Amino acid sequence: MRDQDVPSRLLGRDAQRKQERKQAILDALAASAIPVSGEIRDAIASLFITDVLEVLRSHPGFDLEDKIRSIRTTLQLFDQAAGDLTEALAAFDTFSRRPEFSYRSHRAEHEAIERRIRKEVFAFSELAHSLQDHCRRIRSRWENPSIAQRIPLCFREDGLHDFICGLRTALHHKLMVDADWEIRGSGPEATSHYLFKRSDLMDTDADWNSSARRYLASCGDVIDFGTVASLYHRRVHDFYDHLLGEADTDPPQEVADYRHCWTFHRQRSARMTWNLLINEFLKRNIDPYAYLERYLTPHELEAARLLPQSSREQVDFIIRAVDEFSACDDNLRAAVYRLFAVPAETIA
């Protein structure tokens, strides 16, 4: 066999050993009770990040934690949509106060703002519907009486929730309904309102459920969508802030254990990274203050500079700000003190 084949054979054996080790951890995880043993947790933490992600997909808590993450992400997108809708409505309100609002030469600007608002109405209702679907998937796996009790408390029984979700269905599957503008008042006190006609909505979709129909009936002839969206946005947060709070403070046991395994890996990885970085800085006699703006937010950087230079108080503040995964152990902290030249007599 040629000598040049030796490295390839060695690499192949190494890859095979890694795969066998990963499979052994997967097998141990599949047979383990919750919480997993410290031995399994340590073995997972020692894997490379891509292998950790693969192995933890087999953890009993992964699926539900993934659903909780989906709620968080979708709620963030919903907030973005609500904010964008508010900004678009405000842009039209501002434009409506300008003299050129009614000029033919500015019709394109008028239409561009209206298109933006239509897009945001669609995104807002679409994400509201998506949140509902994600919530149903979580509740099918996680029985939490506190969350169940808050559904009628937060969304109430006036039909607003069903109207918003039904609007998504109407706009997505039926017809993109145009709205009308109404300018109320005059001069500096004038306000603009984006209005859906109830009759147009009813004609567009005959399949509104009874709750949505009840809401439509209560609104009169027109629905001011800016007011409706603001009210619904508050109700969504009343509910989902509680749900996510419960997921943080009292998660199901399998989710808590999944997070523990994941955090333990992140701690180990961060500790290794920081040790390498700090030791390199010490070896090369690099001034850490020249790099603080890379690791601290502007607010944190300002607060750190108000503390005495190279003081234990200042360096402890920097560690607390940067150490997202509580990775700083006693040895690493001592190395950071040396890097920032904290006087030895203040450390003991």
Side-chain angles (χ1 to χ4, degrees):
M1 184 173 292
R2 294 175 300 174
D3 290 343
Q4 56 264 38
D5 291 335
V6 173
S8 297
R9 288 190 291 109
L10 291 176
L11 288 172
R13 289 174 184 172
D14 185 57
Q16 182 179 355
R17 284 194 296 269
K18 288 181 179 179
Q19 182 60 38
E20 290 172 350
R21 180 167 175 265
K22 182 172 68 175
Q23 187 59 53
I25 297 173
L26 281 167
D27 294 341
L29 185 59
S32 174
I34 297 298
V36 301
S37 67
E39 183 181 1
I40 295 176
R41 182 202 61 194
D42 292 345
I44 293 172
S46 67
L47 294 172
F48 190 67
I49 180 62
T50 53
D51 292 330
V52 171
L53 292 172
E54 180 182 346
V55 167
L56 283 181
R57 291 184 69 89
S58 299
H59 190 285
F62 169 80
D63 183 62
L64 185 51
E65 172 69 346
D66 207 38
K67 290 177 169 56
I68 294 171
R69 281 199 296 259
S70 293
I71 285 281
R72 292 185 193 278
T73 301
T74 307
L75 184 61
Q76 291 169 353
L77 293 175
F78 179 76
D79 285 341
Q80 183 69 55
D84 291 345
L85 174 61
T86 299
E87 289 180 5
L89 291 169
F92 190 92
D93 189 61
T94 299
F95 180 53
S96 71
R97 300 169 188 270
R98 291 161 48 186
E100 58 269 30
F101 174 68
S102 59
Y103 294 177
R104 180 178 178 274
S105 58
H106 285 68
R107 186 179 298 165
E109 183 177 356
H110 187 150
E111 292 174 349
I113 296 176
E114 286 207 63
R115 285 195 300 272
R116 179 184 170 194
I117 292 170
R118 290 192 190 101
K119 175 178 75 82
E120 303 308 344
V121 169
F122 179 78
F124 182 88
S125 59
E126 181 74 32
L127 286 162
H129 195 282
S130 182
L131 274 172
Q132 172 184 262
D133 290 343
H134 287 308
C135 184
R136 285 171 175 167
R137 283 190 284 271
I138 283 180
R139 294 187 62 224
S140 69
R141 291 282 313 279
W142 179 24
E143 294 185 7
N144 184 304
S146 175
I147 293 173
Q149 291 168 4
R150 289 193 69 84
I151 293 177
L153 291 175
C154 296
F155 292 109
R156 306 181 188 176
E157 298 180 354
D158 58 3
L160 174 58
H161 171 72
D162 291 282
F163 165 70
I164 294 292
C165 291
L167 182 64
R168 171 262 182 194
T169 302
L171 298 179
H172 188 84
H173 296 292
K174 306 291 183 177
L175 187 69
M176 187 61 72
V177 182
D178 289 334
D180 291 331
W181 283 101
E182 181 178 290
I183 309 297
R184 298 175 183 169
S186 60
E189 304 301 321
T191 57
S192 61
H193 301 265
Y194 190 74
L195 307 175
F196 283 115
K197 290 181 180 177
R198 183 182 62 182
S199 58
D200 287 346
L201 292 173
M202 295 299 293
D203 290 343
T204 297
D205 188 1
D207 297 327
W208 297 95
N209 66 25
S210 59
S211 180
R213 285 177 178 275
R214 185 169 63 251
Y215 182 79
L216 284 166
S218 71
C219 291
D221 293 332
V222 295
I223 298 167
D224 185 334
F225 196 75
T227 301
V228 167
S230 178
L231 174 59
Y232 185 73
H233 187 220
R234 291 196 299 271
R235 290 189 185 182
V236 163
H237 268 282
D238 284 345
F239 177 73
Y240 286 101
D241 287 350
H242 179 79
L243 184 153
L244 293 174
E246 287 289 299
D248 286 339
T249 60
D250 189 24
Q253 185 182 25
E254 66 269 27
V255 170
D257 189 64
Y258 171 88
R259 292 174 181 173
H260 184 61
C261 291
W262 176 243
T263 300
F264 192 75
H265 163 73
R266 297 299 296 269
Q267 286 177 335
R268 182 179 184 276
S269 178
R271 188 174 296 122
M272 291 174 62
T273 299
W274 284 114
N275 269 312
L276 287 171
L277 182 66
I278 298 303
N279 287 327
E280 186 66 18
F281 270 48
L282 286 167
K283 183 172 65 176
R284 296 170 58 185
N285 198 29
I286 294 174
D287 178 11
Y289 287 99
Y291 293 84
L292 280 184
E293 64 180 15
R294 299 187 182 186
Y295 300 98
L296 299 180
T297 66
H299 177 73
E300 291 167 344
L301 188 60
E302 180 182 1
R305 286 171 174 166
L306 292 175
L307 298 171
Q309 182 90 345
S310 295
S311 67
R312 178 175 181 174
E313 181 185 12
Q314 183 191 55
V315 176
D316 283 343
F317 173 83
I318 293 170
I319 292 172
R320 286 195 302 273
V322 174
D323 190 14
E324 299 177 81
F325 305 106
S326 301
C328 189
D329 57 15
D330 291 342
N331 291 332
L332 181 54
R333 186 177 296 272
V336 176
Y337 285 158
R338 291 198 303 275
L339 178 65
F340 282 88
V342 176
E345 61 270 17
T346 67
I347 298 174

